[in-house]
Amino acid sequence: MTSTFLRFWWLWSLCMLLLTALQAADEFCGHFLNDAWDLCVWICILLLGLLQIATLVVSIVTKQTRNLPWILTGGVLSGLTLAAVIGIILFFATVEIMFGAEEDPFGREHPIPDTLQCELPLVDRDVRCYSGDDTVGVFKKAVVPVIDSTDVASFLQIHEGFQPGIYEYDFYYTALPDGVVYLKCFEVTENVELSSSRLRQRSEVPVSGHNAFGPVVQRQEFTIYEGSWGEPYAVRVEVWFKPQGIGHSRMLVSKIYKMEGWMR
């Protein structure tokens, strides 16, 4: 029986290569396999891989090593092919996550009025940003904000994050009791509240022992979800404070920024 099992060493490699090729074709040709068949193919590939390992072990244990070089070659070839297919699948999945997200027309549906003045989020270094069919790119110069204790408009500073729609904020203020600071954002023309289900949680920062003017928040990350990359709209960013224990929340500062949504 062992000899019969070893006689078909080539069959496991051949079937594994064929199924791996089928999986690669499915990835390249738009997933003609449905989910059930796709799962079956992967289960068969796994079982064939285990059979190859078993064949190798049995061949060594029984000292029937005549075909051992071929068994090793088939196993290595199958393994490399499988690794290549998995790499291709991971590559396409990454591209889909990064660039294949469904577009949200929110920005197009809420153009910025020509008469509205908007602040621009700050960048940390000089950078040229490209998007869509833009072959020139938009140059953004790094700006170090000047924080003035007599100028309320300087208290809130928004910085661009590592992707459009992801931002960080700094906030300076005079003495505050213990509590929490957080953001609310609204589209300006229709006063639509943005990302209300997640924005407070992502932007909330505790305040404790803040007895004089200075930084309250530094580089707290938050995300605006409405809209798509390259389609900015006007956003009123409000900083709110809720004291610890009893007491109502109150708005401390607001500024209007030109912002865009994160594509997910």
Side-chain angles (χ1 to χ4, degrees):
M1 184 175 178
T2 301
S3 299
T4 303
F5 176 72
L6 292 177
R7 191 180 304 140
F8 291 100
W9 64 266
W10 55 271
L11 185 60
W12 323 137
S13 297
L14 179 61
C15 290
M16 189 170 178
L17 288 171
L18 290 175
L19 288 175
T20 304
L22 175 64
Q23 198 63 40
D26 178 56
E27 188 66 33
F28 277 112
C29 299
H31 301 286
F32 52 81
L33 295 174
N34 60 36
D35 291 341
W37 277 106
D38 193 49
L39 178 60
C40 288
V41 169
W42 279 113
I43 291 174
C44 289
I45 289 173
L46 175 62
L47 292 176
L48 287 167
L50 293 175
L51 277 173
Q52 284 188 319
I53 295 173
T55 303
L56 177 62
V57 172
V58 170
S59 177
I60 294 173
V61 170
T62 61
K63 298 181 180 180
Q64 299 183 46
T65 57
R66 185 182 62 175
N67 293 320
L68 186 58
W70 295 107
I71 294 172
L72 286 171
T73 301
V76 170
L77 183 60
S78 299
L80 290 175
T81 306
L82 181 60
V85 171
I86 292 174
I88 291 170
I89 292 172
L90 290 176
F91 171 77
F92 278 107
T94 302
V95 170
E96 180 67 23
I97 292 172
M98 294 294 293
F99 304 107
E102 183 179 352
E103 290 192 5
D104 182 344
F106 188 86
R108 293 194 300 272
E109 294 172 351
H110 297 85
I112 300 174
D114 294 336
T115 56
L116 184 64
Q117 295 294 318
C118 297
E119 297 275 347
L120 297 177
L122 304 173
V123 294
D124 295 328
R125 63 184 185 278
D126 293 352
V127 63
R128 189 173 295 278
C129 302
Y130 297 87
S131 63
D133 58 356
D134 187 359
T135 57
V136 178
V138 177
F139 179 74
K140 297 180 180 180
K141 184 174 179 58
V143 176
V144 178
V146 176
I147 310 302
D148 184 349
S149 61
T150 64
D151 180 11
V152 176
S154 71
F155 291 3
L156 172 64
Q157 300 292 335
I158 304 292
H159 300 260
E160 289 189 358
F162 72 97
Q163 282 186 337
I166 298 177
Y167 300 95
E168 298 172 339
Y169 80 100
D170 297 333
F171 180 61
Y172 297 76
Y173 207 69
T174 54
L176 284 171
D178 292 352
V180 292
V181 163
Y182 60 93
L183 297 182
K184 289 184 180 182
C185 292
F186 299 85
E187 191 281 323
V188 172
T189 62
E190 295 185 1
N191 205 39
V192 177
E193 187 169 4
L194 304 171
S195 307
S196 57
S197 63
R198 286 181 272 191
L199 183 58
R200 173 166 179 170
Q201 180 183 4
R202 293 291 300 274
S203 65
E204 188 173 276
V205 174
V207 179
S208 178
H210 188 73
N211 301 317
F213 181 84
V216 180
V217 179
Q218 291 186 297
R219 293 307 182 93
Q220 178 67 26
E221 185 179 276
F222 67 98
T223 303
I224 298 295
Y225 292 95
E226 291 80 0
S228 300
W229 294 352
E231 297 177 356
Y233 52 95
V235 178
R236 186 176 72 256
V237 183
E238 300 177 351
V239 182
W240 284 71
F241 173 73
K242 186 179 190 310
Q244 193 175 65
I246 61 173
H248 297 290
S249 297
R250 58 188 174 97
M251 188 179 70
L252 302 178
V253 174
S254 73
K255 289 173 72 173
I256 295 177
Y257 277 91
K258 181 180 180 181
M259 303 173 80
E260 53 194 286
W262 181 65
M263 295 178 66
R264 57 203 186 280

